Amino acid sequence: MHKLSRSNRDKLQQFISITGASEKAALQALKGSDWHLEGAFDVFYSQPQLKSFTDTRHLEELYNRYKDPYVDMVLVDGITLMCNDLQVDPQDIVMLVLSWHMKAATMCEFSKQEFIGGLQSLGIDSLDKFCERISFMRSELKDEQKFREIYNFAFGWAKEKGQKSLALDTAIGMWQLLFAERQWSLVDHWCQFLQAKHNKAISRDTWSQLLEFARTVDPTLSNYDAEGAWPYLIDEFVEYLHENGIIQNR
């Protein structure tokens, strides 16, 4: 370890403290990702042998701690208890990342299969490990590909069962949560525009296209192509920005 630079020694200690990995496993993951911490987490947690490190009996105990007394699922009360145990606000975006790992079908509920499968994939079989993985799950939001997957997952997760579209209030809440991470400067104007001009549920196409718009179009709209294949709602938003003097016409 003395041969490592100070920066790499710090990364090694951080990796070990978050994952609980041995020094050898930590070095292997960090070297395999060219000393990029987020890449090293991916390497470590994607190793299939990690699943053998989780104790099924302990996973069952965790599930039983949070499951509803009347239904074989984790529901709102169980999620609230889990958030208290993890010292995480139920509105924290990390709960969305956790739900993505669990492949949860619906907000505020986890089936037994979703709960155990998700924790197993994260190498979690105890509350201590659960707490340790929180910082890893937060780090995943900085990965562009994972952020896109989490963003697209959020649409189906947050919509009401049986509905094709996402209720406007829910969509606005999710956008504000997600774009707080991605820091899209027009998100508040977008939400105000929807409430003033649209006031209808949001389609999956609009949901997915907005991420592309936020990712590819400059906040000054200098590279916006009016002839592009954007949903009409995004074209109307651009007009709204110009009409209200939020963005100056060029």
Side-chain angles (χ1 to χ4, degrees):
M1 192 164 155
H2 65 279
K3 295 177 184 176
L4 299 177
S5 68
R6 180 167 184 172
S7 169
N8 286 352
R9 277 203 309 273
D10 289 346
K11 287 178 183 176
L12 181 65
Q13 290 300 337
Q14 191 178 346
F15 187 90
I16 290 170
S17 69
I18 289 171
T19 63
S22 67
E23 186 176 310
K24 182 180 177 183
L27 274 170
Q28 191 177 0
L30 283 160
K31 287 178 179 175
S33 64
D34 201 22
W35 291 91
H36 290 109
L37 260 178
E38 288 164 31
F41 286 134
D42 286 343
V43 169
F44 182 75
Y45 287 121
S46 65
Q47 291 171 348
Q49 66 266 33
L50 189 72
K51 290 197 176 183
S52 66
F53 299 159
T54 57
D55 185 317
T56 308
R57 184 167 45 87
H58 290 159
L59 273 169
E60 288 271 353
E61 287 170 5
L62 265 183
Y63 175 73
N64 289 333
R65 174 169 173 76
Y66 302 124
K67 88 175 186 74
D68 188 86
Y70 305 107
V71 184
D72 192 19
M73 296 186 84
V74 178
L75 300 177
V76 174
D77 288 348
I79 291 171
T80 302
L81 175 59
M82 182 168 66
C83 289
N84 288 340
D85 285 348
L86 298 172
Q87 296 185 314
V88 166
D89 189 294
Q91 304 298 318
D92 194 308
I93 195 169
V94 81
M95 295 306 294
L96 169 59
V97 182
L98 176 63
S99 299
W100 170 67
H101 277 287
M102 291 185 177
K103 300 181 173 66
T106 306
M107 189 189 290
C108 295
E109 61 179 58
F110 301 124
S111 69
K112 185 174 184 178
Q113 184 179 355
E114 288 168 351
F115 184 91
I116 289 181
L119 294 194
Q120 210 167 32
S121 73
L122 284 161
I124 294 169
D125 60 7
S126 69
L127 194 51
D128 284 346
K129 286 184 182 176
F130 211 159
C131 291
E132 286 169 4
R133 298 293 186 265
I134 295 292
S135 54
F136 163 70
M137 286 189 273
R138 286 196 199 287
S139 77
E140 293 185 289
L141 291 160
K142 295 173 186 165
D143 180 295
E144 186 149 343
Q145 180 56 38
K146 286 187 179 179
F147 182 85
R148 183 194 298 271
E149 289 178 23
I150 292 163
Y151 177 94
N152 286 324
F153 163 83
F155 180 89
W157 176 74
K159 70 181 175 61
E160 293 282 339
K161 289 180 183 177
Q163 297 297 312
K164 289 186 176 178
S165 300
L166 186 58
L168 181 61
D169 286 350
T170 306
I172 285 173
M174 294 304 299
W175 273 318
Q176 288 171 333
L177 187 70
L178 285 154
F179 284 122
E181 296 295 321
R182 264 301 185 256
Q183 297 181 335
W184 181 45
S185 61
L186 295 175
V187 64
D188 288 338
H189 294 303
W190 168 250
C191 295
Q192 289 158 11
F193 156 74
L194 291 175
Q195 288 170 318
K197 301 288 186 180
H198 184 61
N199 205 24
K200 294 177 186 170
I202 299 299
S203 70
R204 185 180 287 275
D205 182 51
T206 298
W207 178 267
S208 59
Q209 288 294 316
L210 187 75
L211 179 61
E212 287 307 302
F213 181 82
R215 195 177 64 82
T216 60
V217 176
D218 186 272
T220 64
L221 306 183
S222 60
N223 62 340
Y224 173 72
D225 179 7
E227 302 302 314
W230 297 111
Y232 81 94
L233 204 53
I234 290 178
D235 289 330
E236 284 187 2
F237 174 56
V238 171
E239 287 178 25
Y240 168 87
L241 292 174
H242 289 311
E243 285 169 4
N244 287 275
I246 298 161
I247 303 289
Q248 300 303 315
N249 282 302
R250 289 177 177 264

